[in-house]
Amino acid sequence: MSTTCTHLDTVEVTQLPAAVAGCADCLEIGGRWVHLRMCQACGRIGCCDSSPNRHASAHARREQHPIARSAEPGEDWSWCYVDDVAFVLTES
């Protein structure tokens, strides 16, 4: 496990959308989710690894988009699936 994320150059999307309906894949299949994550490369909303379908990490692997941020109200942390590390993005 790394102590820093080495994939910050992949971040394209930092702001959550105004409204989050839920996990895009779960909404399509009638699934359920526990917590939501937003891909910071493309903005796709997926469910966390505590959810039955783990769509956020599946998207990260499939699309090679390594970083997702929490899409939960009041949370501002991000997770790098490759480096296995959580962090908070700061504006420079």
Side-chain angles (χ1 to χ4, degrees), residues 6 11 22 49 51 59 62-63 70 72 74-75 78 84-85:
T6 59
V11 173
D49 281 355
S51 300
H59 170 82
R62 181 179 61 252
E63 302 299 326
S70 174
E72 295 298 311
E75 295 183 356
S78 296
D84 199 28
V85 64

Side-chain angles (χ1 to χ4, degrees), residues 5-14 38-43 59-60 63-68 78-83 87 89:
C5 173
T6 59
H7 301 89
L8 295 177
D9 60 331
T10 67
V11 173
E12 297 286 333
V13 183
T14 59
M38 181 188 76
C39 175
Q40 290 195 269
C42 69
H59 170 82
E63 302 299 326
Q64 297 183 358
H65 292 171
I67 302 173
S78 296
W79 179 261
C80 180
Y81 290 102
V82 176
D83 292 323
F87 60 95
L89 277 177

